[in-house]
Amino acid sequence: MSNNFQKVLNSDKFKNLIKKRWRFSFFMLAVLFVVYYGYIFLIALNKDLVTMKVGVYTNVGILMGVGVIFAAWILTYIYVIWANNVYDKEVEDIKKELQ
Amino acid sequence: MEYKFGQPNLVAIASFIAVVVLTLLVTFFVARKQKQSASNYYTAGGGITGFQNGLALAGDYMSAASFLGISGLVALKGYDGMIYAVGWLVGWPALMFLIAEPLRNLGKYSFADVVAYRLSQGPIRTASAIGGLLVLLCYTIAQMVGSGKLIELMFGIPYIWAEIIVGAVMLLYVLYGGMLATTWVQIIKAVLLLFGVTVLTVLVLAKFGFNPGNLYGAVQETYGVEMLNPGGLVKGPVEALSLGLALMLGLLGLPHILMRFFTVPNAKEARKSVVYATTFIGYFYLIIPIVGFGAAVLVGKKAIMAIGSGGNMAAPMLSQLLGGTPFLGFIAAVAFATILAVVAGLTLAASAALGNDLYVSTFKKGNVTESEKLKAAKVSTLVYGVVSVALGIAFQKQNVAFLVALAFSIAASANFPSLFLSIIWKKLSTTGAVLSILFGGISAAVLIVLSPTVWVDILKHSEAIFPYKFPTIISLPLAFVGAWIGSVLAPDKAAQEKFEQEKIRTYLGVGISEASDH
């Protein structure tokens, strides 16, 4: 293991990057939990709301199901946009210091 | 030609042969120039692109159970089927946030590589491989029994022959072309499946003026409003929590899914794979309820139940009604390709666990030549393939519905916690990881036996000892408790040291297993 490796390992920049990565991941995971469990718990606990009609026949439950699928998509896209634009840039920066 | 389920039919048989020929030709074409090596066999040399891997992941994950099972469930039970459809998707974003990138950076052939990376190789690989194999076996038996019944019904081929044909064709792809061939079979299957379900959805919507509201209206007029409302699937908050944990985190412990991340060259492509996979799988689960509701209205519940199999024939019957026998033949071919692709992926993952984790790395301690490594991979594939067929035949008359729940529960409780902790928790020691796998795996298996799905439905007791269908609410925390106890009682200083060093690889992707040239 070269000196540069040790230096990077001990640098604040690298440590902050790791912290930032997991803070973002866990935040996104928390949003996913809220969305999905919000859906499941409403089905289990609040039948009146879920069975309420929004159109002539379509009900809140159907819209919520569709909503969770869209939320899963959007959360995934947000993560990848963040990783491409924020995380990867810092990784490239730090990698330069390794050489 | 009039089609009757359960009897040989020319169109169906022709489509069946077409799928076999097409996939075998592609297998031969893509794999003919490939160098024979263990790395190519298990991971296609890491040369798959993110887009291809995304499609292949979708092909690996969307099983016949989700295509025929969920459309059938919606057709018979209405809204409750949709709750399952949503649940099968939500693991994918979680996989992205927690596992995808570090998994790619730390692993080589299987997820056990990652868990064993800084811990004592022998015990960890053994425990991880056994946890992985248990998941794969449960999943495989469920797939094999389901596929045997399906092929019997759709093509009129006897059950035992159906099992043997699936096993033999699948072994041809895997043994000849390894991961590269399996990947292409999964890509073909994903494209066929997405195309077939899209056509089916458009045909259904066309009957209702392209307005889903009219479809729901017809459902309500025919079967009453209850069909559009949640029924008895989610009984209370604890059941809901347990089900959600199993579905969401179970995905993060499925060996055949995790293995696909080693087929791409780096973490960026791994990320891309998840984006494409989530997009395709989400789209699939978004439209599959329309097929189910369409079948309920147009084919009718009575007719679907007359064919049996818990509604599994809803989608094929609907396709015959809307597109005639040729379209039914196409949908049957799609279902068959689906089975082959999923079983091939499972077998390859099992061969990595048997051939690499248990035989080469643990039993031989890595002292083998390249050609012995490849031989171990192929022998393991053959053994697992034969065992799958044998188990498929042995379980023919059994109720295997619980096996998928068991696979996801063990995956979530035994494989996921040790994998995740090895990435994120510095103090995880060898003893901790082994205890985590044992606590999680054993408690999940025992609680499933005591749950309503086995204790009441199969063993015919009047009341279940453990009241919930999924054990994850207990078994998942137990896995973390096991990891903590083991790591506190038997700390591992060397592993903690290595944890610091491996950060360069985990987060920057420096020094990862490179893609080899073909």
Side-chain angles (χ1 to χ4, degrees):
Chain A
M1 190 89 15
S2 76
N3 263 343
N4 286 346
F5 273 65
Q6 251 344 306
K7 223 190 268 166
V8 165
L9 277 174
N10 294 328
S11 69
D12 287 340
K13 205 171 175 187
F14 186 57
K15 285 180 182 159
N16 284 335
L17 177 70
I18 297 175
K19 247 186 238 155
K20 200 159 56 173
R21 188 239 185 268
W22 287 112
R23 213 182 297 139
F24 190 70
S25 286
F26 282 116
F27 171 74
M28 297 297 280
L29 187 71
V31 176
L32 181 69
F33 266 71
V34 169
V35 169
Y36 178 60
Y37 279 117
Y39 169 68
I40 294 280
F41 281 150
L42 276 178
I43 287 173
L45 301 173
N46 193 342
K47 285 256 151 60
D48 292 343
L49 174 70
V50 179
T51 56
M52 206 174 73
K53 294 286 184 192
V54 264
V56 187
Y57 294 109
T58 312
N59 62 30
V60 175
I62 293 174
L63 290 187
M64 284 195 325
V66 172
V68 175
I69 293 181
F70 274 91
W73 275 339
I74 292 166
L75 289 174
T76 308
Y77 300 152
I78 292 177
Y79 180 87
V80 86
I81 290 170
W82 175 84
N84 284 340
N85 292 306
V86 181
Y87 185 76
D88 279 359
K89 286 221 173 80
E90 292 192 31
V91 165
E92 286 312 314
D93 261 11
I94 296 176
K95 266 177 159 173
K96 276 184 207 137
E97 289 166 28
L98 279 178
Q99 270 123 40
Chain B
M1 180 193 293
E2 188 53 35
Y3 186 88
K4 283 194 79 172
F5 285 91
Q7 274 164 32
N9 174 283
L10 220 58
V11 179
I13 299 278
S15 67
F16 175 91
I17 292 168
V19 167
V20 174
V21 171
L22 172 73
T23 47
L24 284 177
L25 278 178
V26 169
T27 296
F28 175 73
F29 185 75
V30 298
R32 86 205 123 103
K33 282 188 189 146
Q34 186 178 235
K35 214 176 74 203
Q36 294 279 319
S37 72
S39 156
N40 279 343
Y41 190 79
Y42 289 132
T43 67
I48 306 287
T49 68
F51 177 71
Q52 292 168 335
N53 194 37
L55 265 178
L57 278 167
D60 221 353
Y61 192 66
M62 298 181 298
S63 60
S66 37
F67 169 37
L68 301 173
I70 291 189
S71 53
L73 202 60
V74 172
L76 297 182
K77 304 250 153 111
Y79 188 82
D80 275 3
M82 205 164 159
I83 303 176
Y84 261 111
V86 171
W88 293 122
L89 177 68
V90 288
W92 286 91
L95 177 67
M96 174 76 117
F97 306 152
L98 298 181
I99 301 270
E101 299 156 282
L103 178 73
R104 172 61 193 95
N105 283 343
L106 289 174
K108 198 172 173 202
Y109 299 151
S110 72
F111 79 97
D113 293 332
V114 181
V115 190
Y117 191 79
R118 64 193 162 98
L119 303 173
S120 174
Q121 294 278 331
I124 295 294
R125 277 199 194 266
T126 311
S128 289
I130 291 175
L133 280 171
L134 277 179
V135 172
L136 291 167
L137 273 175
C138 294
Y139 216 98
T140 306
I141 296 173
Q143 291 291 328
M144 290 300 285
V145 173
S147 64
K149 290 187 177 152
L150 189 72
I151 293 170
E152 197 174 30
L153 212 51
M154 295 188 97
F155 304 101
I157 298 169
Y159 182 90
I160 291 179
W161 279 107
E163 297 292 294
I164 293 171
I165 292 172
V166 169
V169 176
M170 174 278 289
L171 278 176
L172 276 179
Y173 309 141
V174 181
L175 287 174
Y176 180 74
M179 181 52 103
L180 189 60
T182 304
T183 302
W184 279 101
V185 171
Q186 287 169 343
I187 290 174
I188 294 171
K189 164 269 176 93
V191 172
L192 283 176
L193 181 59
L194 291 169
F195 176 75
V197 176
T198 302
V199 172
L200 207 46
T201 304
V202 171
L203 289 176
V204 168
L205 287 177
K207 292 260 176 200
F208 296 94
F210 289 98
N211 179 357
N214 293 343
L215 171 62
Y216 302 140
V219 171
Q220 185 170 334
E221 299 301 321
T222 322
Y223 298 105
V225 71
E226 284 311 309
M227 189 79 172
L228 296 175
N229 294 340
L233 179 70
V234 186
K235 288 211 181 68
V238 183
E239 180 81 271
L241 195 64
S242 213
L243 168 86
L245 283 175
L247 291 187
M248 196 188 274
L249 299 177
L251 172 70
L252 282 66
L254 294 178
H256 61 298
I257 296 292
L258 298 176
M259 187 183 189
R260 291 223 53 91
F261 285 91
F262 309 121
T263 65
V264 293
N266 53 45
K268 203 179 172 79
E269 293 297 313
R271 218 183 272 149
K272 251 192 226 165
S273 319
V274 186
V275 170
Y276 286 117
T278 310
T279 306
F280 293 130
I281 296 168
Y283 168 74
F284 175 74
Y285 286 131
L286 196 61
I287 61 174
I288 204 79
I290 295 176
V291 174
F293 281 128
V297 175
L298 299 172
V299 179
K301 278 192 198 184
K302 251 202 198 115
I304 296 170
M305 283 198 283
I307 303 287
S309 277
N312 272 348
M313 286 301 122
M317 291 171 89
L318 181 68
S319 60
Q320 184 181 26
L321 184 80
L322 295 176
T325 306
F327 188 53
L328 171 74
F330 177 73
I331 289 292
V334 168
F336 182 59
T338 293
I339 292 163
L340 286 175
V342 174
V343 177
L346 291 165
T347 303
L348 201 54
S351 80
L354 282 170
N356 188 56
D357 293 327
L358 289 181
Y359 181 75
V360 171
S361 302
T362 307
F363 186 67
K364 288 280 182 182
K365 306 218 183 313
N367 297 323
V368 289
T369 62
E370 186 56 37
S371 72
E372 281 173 318
K373 248 192 208 173
L374 183 64
K375 202 175 154 204
K378 292 199 169 180
V379 172
S380 315
T381 303
L382 194 62
V383 169
Y384 191 83
V386 172
V387 169
S388 304
V389 172
L391 287 173
I393 294 170
F395 277 78
Q396 178 182 4
K397 300 262 186 308
Q398 306 298 316
N399 177 349
V400 292
F402 75 98
L403 283 174
V404 174
L406 183 57
F408 270 78
S409 303
I410 295 180
S413 322
N415 302 348
F416 163 69
S418 55
L419 175 63
F420 183 54
L421 287 175
S422 76
I423 292 169
I424 202 170
W425 192 38
K426 182 178 176 176
K427 294 206 172 112
L428 182 73
S429 71
T430 302
T431 317
V434 172
L435 278 189
S436 167
I437 294 168
L438 287 179
F439 277 32
I442 294 174
S443 62
V446 169
L447 288 175
I448 284 261
V449 172
L450 302 179
S451 77
T453 16
V454 176
W455 201 252
V456 178
D457 295 352
I458 295 177
L459 299 174
K460 307 289 175 208
H461 295 277
S462 60
E463 209 169 320
I465 296 172
F466 181 72
Y468 309 113
K469 287 188 201 115
F470 286 85
T472 12
I473 187 93
I474 308 281
S475 57
L476 184 67
L478 270 181
F480 284 103
V481 168
W484 184 76
I485 292 176
S487 302
V488 167
L489 287 183
D492 193 338
K493 276 273 172 290
Q496 296 185 20
E497 196 77 1
K498 267 198 204 154
F499 181 78
E500 287 300 319
Q501 305 298 335
E502 84 175 20
K503 278 182 181 168
I504 295 267
R505 181 163 165 173
T506 315
Y507 297 103
L508 303 180
V510 173
I512 61 172
S513 289
E514 297 283 341
S516 63
D517 47 6
H518 297 265

